Amino acid sequence: MAFNMDESSKANELRKTGKYDEAIKIYDMLWTENEDKFTAAGLLHCYRKQKQFEKAFELIEKTKERFQGFNWYKNEYSWTLISGQLNRLPDDPKTHDVVEIATKILAINPDQLAYNKAIFKVAKAAKKNEDWEILNEWLKKVDPEQLKIEEEGKDWSESEIWHYYRAIYLLETNKFEDAILFINQVKNKFKSKAKFFDRLIAKAFKATNDLEGSKQIYERLTNKRRADWWMLHEYAKLVLESGTKNEALKLMFRAGIAPGPMKNKVSLFNDIANLLSVKSRTREALIHYHLALNIRTDEGWSVPTELSENIEKINKIIPEFQQSEKTIDLFRNCKNIWKKELGVREDVPKRIKTKDLKGKVILGDSGKPFCFIQTGDRDSFFCSKSDLPERIQNNEVVTFDIKSSYDKKKKKNSYRAFNVRIDT
């Protein structure tokens, strides 16, 4: 027995330090000798971490009836289902497949983290597949008051997702008044996501034929230099319904210029082409049709019959008109059309001042090793607290320099503050 205790301690230490292969060898020996719940949980943990899911599920089949009342084993069981089944589903799973696995996880009575993980996996699939009653059923399994409003390192918190999905459910099941009331009650809790909730109100207004109310919201959401391309596209389609073709086209051009992957904009390019064709701007329409065609071909997507017919129809009108076969060239040609129409000049890189900037220190969480320095024009620069003068106070004005850096969270080049001095 003493030997087993020593070996068990060694296996646990190896497991805790991430040496799973070595730990598995000892756990296997211990399991052969004595099938106890601690060994089963430890072995299951190592199998899961090493993605040896076949062995993990074989072990579960032998042990789940015996050890499911043991919390450590129960947690390993639930997270093995999450890692080995739920997270290995295709990117676009059928809602039924997600529900089947999630139901098994919930039956284990897992910890809250695993429980919520299963719930939101089902909710995501149900939303994507437009299974609205399933979405509603699974949202009801969660108390939204117990969800965190903000979660560090996550763009959307579980609370934001829950309320957003709930609003979508109401909207998609034609409960428009309920949707508007619900959104107005909750959206102030999620100010960083306000535009998404406001957009849903705009969609509810449109669905109830309040086009003017919908337009006012879209106008406010897009009346800024860096409006989202998809928001501009939605607004353009709404404006087009009102019969204002020129305004709709300009909004679509703005959407084309706005940042976003080309493949996500394929329907936008097709809509631009359709509208240009209606306005008898045939050559420009053809360029946009070809861009939509090329993107679909590049991505291996099917080509709608209507798109092929539109290209063929214009080719009969201007058979001599030749287009580049390169998608990037087509995109540049389209972009030139958009910019010319909108009167947009090429951006000139702004000269960045890097020395002797002034700003106030925002210390933030005392437990974090970084802070930010905010300048008078509201620019905010990341700064390591180790670069700050001793005994610096929150909101104290400082002089500092900046140097090139990389923002991992936003995945783009940036600047960080250094050489921070107290302003005297």
Side-chain angles (χ1 to χ4, degrees), residues 52-268:
Q52 296 181 24
F53 296 118
E54 187 175 340
K55 289 184 176 180
F57 286 114
E58 283 178 6
L59 181 61
I60 284 172
E61 284 304 309
K62 294 177 184 177
T63 57
K64 62 182 179 182
E65 298 301 327
R66 280 186 283 166
F67 303 142
Q68 203 164 312
F70 177 44
N71 277 341
W72 181 20
Y73 174 87
K74 181 178 68 175
N75 288 340
E76 291 302 335
Y77 181 7
S78 60
W79 282 103
T80 300
L81 284 171
I82 290 171
S83 300
Q85 292 185 2
L86 200 61
N87 290 347
R88 299 179 81 195
L89 288 169
D91 290 339
D92 296 315
K94 295 178 180 177
T95 310
H96 171 77
D97 294 339
V98 187
V99 167
E100 188 175 12
I101 299 169
T103 301
K104 288 192 289 185
I105 295 168
L106 266 56
I108 302 169
N109 191 25
D111 62 34
Q112 196 64 49
L113 193 62
Y115 182 92
N116 288 358
K117 181 85 170 177
I119 294 292
F120 284 100
K121 276 283 189 177
V122 173
K124 182 178 180 181
K127 171 184 170 289
K128 193 161 191 176
N129 295 323
E130 300 184 359
D131 294 320
W132 304 121
E133 292 307 325
I134 295 177
L135 173 63
N136 185 44
E137 176 190 344
W138 281 74
L139 288 178
K140 286 180 178 179
K141 295 179 186 292
V142 179
D143 178 2
E145 297 303 317
Q146 301 302 313
L147 299 174
K148 293 181 180 177
I149 293 178
E150 294 182 0
E151 294 182 73
E152 187 175 349
K154 291 186 178 181
D155 186 25
W156 282 72
S157 69
E158 287 182 344
S159 182
E160 289 169 333
I161 294 171
W162 190 96
H163 287 87
Y164 185 61
Y165 281 8
R166 173 67 181 166
I168 289 175
Y169 161 74
L170 293 171
L171 187 63
E172 294 294 341
T173 52
N174 300 329
K175 300 177 178 69
F176 303 120
E177 290 185 6
D178 290 343
I180 293 168
L181 180 63
F182 175 76
I183 293 167
N184 282 326
Q185 286 174 342
V186 304
K187 71 175 185 177
N188 288 335
K189 290 171 62 177
F190 314 114
K191 292 186 178 178
S192 66
K193 301 295 184 291
K195 67 179 180 182
F196 298 100
F197 287 97
D198 282 337
R199 168 185 173 254
L200 294 183
I201 293 179
K203 289 170 76 71
F205 282 161
K206 180 183 176 184
T208 54
N209 293 319
D210 184 359
L211 298 187
E212 192 56 40
S214 185
K215 285 177 68 174
Q216 286 177 10
I217 294 175
Y218 274 115
E219 170 63 25
R220 175 169 53 81
L221 292 173
T222 59
N223 189 22
K224 51 187 177 180
R225 187 171 178 269
R226 292 190 175 184
D228 296 297
W229 74 266
W230 49 270
M231 195 83 77
L232 287 161
H233 189 196
E234 286 183 4
Y235 185 24
K237 289 189 284 187
L238 177 64
V239 168
L240 190 58
E241 284 187 26
S242 304
T244 318
K245 295 186 181 68
N246 287 338
E247 185 184 350
L249 193 57
K250 286 187 177 182
L251 286 167
M252 288 185 191
F253 287 169
R254 284 180 61 199
I257 292 173
M262 269 198 297
K263 66 179 183 180
N264 292 357
K265 296 183 178 183
V266 67
S267 63
L268 167 67

Side-chain angles (χ1 to χ4, degrees), residues 348-397:
V348 178
K350 187 170 69 172
R351 191 178 183 88
I352 301 291
K353 180 181 178 181
T354 59
K355 300 285 187 183
D356 299 327
L357 285 79
K358 291 187 183 293
K360 63 179 180 179
V361 176
I362 310 297
L363 289 175
D365 189 338
S366 60
K368 292 181 179 177
F370 61 86
C371 63
F372 292 90
I373 302 179
Q374 193 174 81
T375 62
D377 56 6
R378 310 300 290 178
D379 280 335
S380 185
F381 296 97
F382 177 92
C383 180
S384 172
K385 287 182 179 177
S386 61
D387 285 330
L388 296 176
E390 291 184 9
R391 294 182 292 279
I392 192 80
Q393 300 295 313
N394 191 46
N395 289 324
E396 190 163 357
V397 176

